[in-house]
Amino acid sequence: MRALGERGSLMAEVMVSVLLLSVAVSAVAGSMLTGNGQSANLQVKEQALLSVDQLLQSLGNYVSADTSDATKSFAPGGCWNLKDPTKPADCPAGWALDETASHDATFLLPSAVRSAPYLGKLGYTVAVDPTTGLRTVSAQMAWMGVQP
């Protein structure tokens, strides 16, 4: 038999236990959701960095003293500029290492990086050292939408 003051105490203990358990489960679920979101953002950043690396490596193929039409057969893909693979017949005018232009290489980005919500843009500029004549390339990655 229970004493008069203990009546209903088991119910209160069960309610407190359920409340504590629900707080713990909510905290774990919240951290898992946050972790998934951060993982997706890291994946987008990694894809963008790999695209920048690919751009810089491919520009090494365009080093030439003669970029005239007569030498196009020696150029990568028959073109002295980066070609957008979605437009195989298109050979952009100019030279991939022209220091007077700001170059757009967004087509090298994966579609997940180029599209919403990130709207990534990839470009590069070329500078020529006046004393040595050597060219240096600087790549720029920009986020027009949500920054990962």
Side-chain angles (χ1 to χ4, degrees), residues 1 3 11 16 18 25 38 40 46 52-53 64 71 79 82 101 108 122 125-126 128-129 131 136:
M1 235 173 124
M11 183 63 150
V16 168
V18 168
V25 168
Q38 289 175 346
E46 183 179 358
V52 169
D53 187 49
S64 173
T71 63
C79 189
L82 293 174
L108 292 174
L122 177 60
T125 55
V126 180
V128 179
D129 185 315
T131 56
T136 56

Side-chain angles (χ1 to χ4, degrees), residues 63-76:
V63 177
S64 173
D66 182 6
T67 58
S68 66
D69 286 342
T71 63
K72 274 193 175 180
S73 62
F74 301 112

Side-chain angles (χ1 to χ4, degrees), residues 32-120:
M32 288 176 63
L33 289 174
T34 301
N36 284 344
Q38 289 175 346
S39 175
N41 287 343
L42 287 175
Q43 186 176 12
V44 167
K45 282 184 179 180
E46 183 179 358
Q47 289 175 342
L49 285 173
L50 288 173
S51 297
V52 169
D53 187 49
Q54 175 190 1
L55 166 69
L56 295 176
Q57 286 183 11
S58 66
L59 287 174
N61 296 326
Y62 294 90
V63 177
S64 173
D66 182 6
T67 58
S68 66
D69 286 342
T71 63
K72 274 193 175 180
S73 62
F74 301 112
C79 189
W80 282 115
N81 212 334
L82 293 174
K83 287 175 69 171
D84 185 342
T86 62
K87 303 173 188 170
D90 183 30
C91 182
W95 183 30
L97 297 177
D98 181 6
E99 73 274 5
T100 63
S102 190
H103 304 273
D104 182 22
T106 302
F107 61 85
L108 292 174
L109 293 172
S111 62
V113 178
R114 283 191 317 257
S115 58
Y118 305 108
L119 303 174

